[in-house]
Structure formats: C-alpha cells, structure tokens
Amino acid sequence: QGRAEVHIPLFYPRQEEEIRAMFQAMAKKNKVPLAADALPTVPADRRLSGADIESVVLAARRATLTAGRSEVTRADLQAAVDEFIPSAQGLEKEMQELAAVLECTQLPFLPPEWREKVSQPEGRSRLQERMVAIRQLLEQ
C-alpha cells in the first residue's frame, strides 16, 4: 500500500484454459511452431509455473528437432509433460502464493478457493501464521 492503490495477485495457471494459454504463450515467445492440436492434457494439480511450462515446451522442441521434424505435435508435448520433474521448491511456491494472497487489495482478484480462505473468520491471520511458519522452515 502507498505506492500503488491496487495490488493484483498473480498465480500459477490452474484452470485448463489458463494452462493451455500458457503453453501457447511460451511457444510463441520461443518461436516454437505447434501443430493445431498440440496442446497436451496437464492435470491442474501438477501446479506448473510459467517457467516450468516453458521448460516443457523447449524439451518438446528439442525432441522434435532431434526427430528431424519442424512442428511440435501433441505427442511431443505430452511426452515432455510426462517426463518433466518440477523443482522441489514446494514451500517456496506456497509462500509465493500466500504472499500474493496477503498483498491482494480486492477479493474479486482472488480465485474462489483463496477468496473462501480469506473470508473465513481469522482467515487472513491463519494465512499470515502459515507464511511465518514457512519462512522459519526455509531459514533452517
């Protein structure tokens, strides 16, 4: 608060359409040609960050080029998703999300599950306590 009146939180893509949009954006950013039906199925519980999705797209691109093809197919992307091991920074990711929620200035900016947690009695206090606990664990 102070420098900006509105704080808009940013979260990892969770909904299928958000995940698909992130794949398209990362392919476009890296000039990776995708087949029309190339976007893979990614369970939302994988919680891939934008950087994770970019790594998957680039891995699929390498496999495509190694196979002598120019266009990334659905099979290429699905194999890259299935083989991808996200970083083991689960607590850091959770802390990032908590920070986004706690800094948010308007409930409508939050996804439904976070809006519900914040709106519960003592909701923000519980989230702040969790944030402190995570910081303590990471400092050890």
Side-chain angles (χ1 to χ4, degrees), residues 101-123:
V101 170
L102 292 169
E103 288 295 322
C104 181
T105 56
Q106 295 181 304
L107 278 176
F109 291 147
L110 296 174
E113 66 272 11
W114 283 114
R115 199 175 313 146
E116 182 181 324
K117 289 178 183 180
V118 168
S119 298
Q120 291 176 357
E122 304 297 321

Side-chain angles (χ1 to χ4, degrees), residues 21-96:
M22 186 64 75
F23 269 95
Q24 290 170 327
M26 291 303 167
K28 182 177 180 181
K29 172 187 173 193
N30 291 285
K31 298 177 175 63
V32 175
L34 297 178
D37 66 342
L39 299 179
T41 301
V42 180
D45 64 351
R46 286 284 312 262
R47 295 183 88 163
L48 298 177
S49 69
D52 292 339
I53 291 172
E54 185 172 25
S55 292
V56 167
V57 168
L58 294 175
R61 175 72 169 151
R62 284 190 300 276
T64 299
L65 292 173
T66 300
R69 295 179 282 110
S70 61
E71 190 175 68
V72 174
T73 66
R74 180 181 182 90
D76 297 324
L77 271 177
Q78 192 64 57
V81 166
D82 294 343
E83 295 170 356
F84 181 73
I85 301 171
S87 68
Q89 299 175 346
L91 285 177
E92 287 90 346
K93 287 181 178 182
E94 184 181 351
M95 190 168 78
Q96 290 171 350

